[in-house]
Amino acid sequence: MSQTQVSVTDLDLPQLAEVKKQLDEALNRQLGISQELSHLSSSFAQLSKAQAKFKACIENVAEITPNNKDKAILVPLTSSLYVPGKLKDPEHVIIDVGTGYYVKKSRDDARKHYQKKADFVKSNLEKLQETIEKKQENMNFLLNVMQVKMSQQRQGAATS
């Protein structure tokens, strides 16, 4: 069975409405177009926050130097609770590798770890941005074609 491609600009208004209905139904089965775009945008925002946190970690690791040995610091226990401490080993840091696990690494290894994570998130952000833009472009194109066809139909009805 062979399939022929038809340009949407060649379709009349009822056919375009049917195509839009089919697209809406397909997208609604997945999440609904507005929900899907909302979900993708929310994911984009969350990934952006994660990338910012990884970049902040890189900066924080860079601030730890051998000159800071035995200096007073504030150690974060939670995002809002800090306790006083002293920096005993400025050559190593403890990093969060996910799901509640922490690992002791050299400053350079920690920087590399967070840079790798930031780069991974950046590539996912770029892919997600492309997906969002394509979905928006497809829907906008179809809506524009429908508007043109409705306008032509109104003009044809007005001249008749």
Side-chain angles (χ1 to χ4, degrees), residues 22-40:
Q22 288 172 0
L23 282 174
D24 285 342
E25 288 172 358
L27 292 173
N28 282 335
R29 272 182 255 130
Q30 294 173 1
L31 281 175
I33 185 148
S34 62
Q35 289 177 339
E36 183 177 15
L37 285 173
S38 175
H39 175 70
L40 291 173

Side-chain angles (χ1 to χ4, degrees), residues 80-118:
S80 62
L81 178 63
Y82 293 80
V83 295
K86 284 194 177 188
L87 187 60
K88 291 292 182 188
D89 183 7
E91 294 302 318
H92 294 90
V93 294
I94 297 175
I95 65 168
D96 182 356
V97 291
T99 62
Y101 289 97
Y102 295 86
V103 176
K104 183 178 182 177
K105 290 193 176 244
S106 70
R107 288 180 304 142
D108 191 49
D109 287 345
R111 183 194 56 75
K112 288 177 184 174
H113 171 80
Y114 286 124
Q115 187 61 55
K116 182 179 170 185
K117 293 275 193 182

Side-chain angles (χ1 to χ4, degrees), residues 63-64 68-76 82-89:
E63 289 181 20
I64 299 173
N68 295 337
K69 186 173 182 171
D70 292 324
K71 285 191 176 178
I73 61 169
L74 290 174
V75 180
Y82 293 80
V83 295
K86 284 194 177 188
L87 187 60
K88 291 292 182 188
D89 183 7

Side-chain angles (χ1 to χ4, degrees), residues 119-136:
D119 292 343
F120 177 73
V121 170
K122 180 182 177 185
S123 70
N124 283 336
L125 277 170
E126 291 168 353
K127 290 175 188 173
L128 186 56
Q129 181 67 32
E130 288 175 19
T131 301
I132 290 169
E133 288 173 358
K134 284 179 185 176
K135 289 191 178 291
Q136 287 175 333

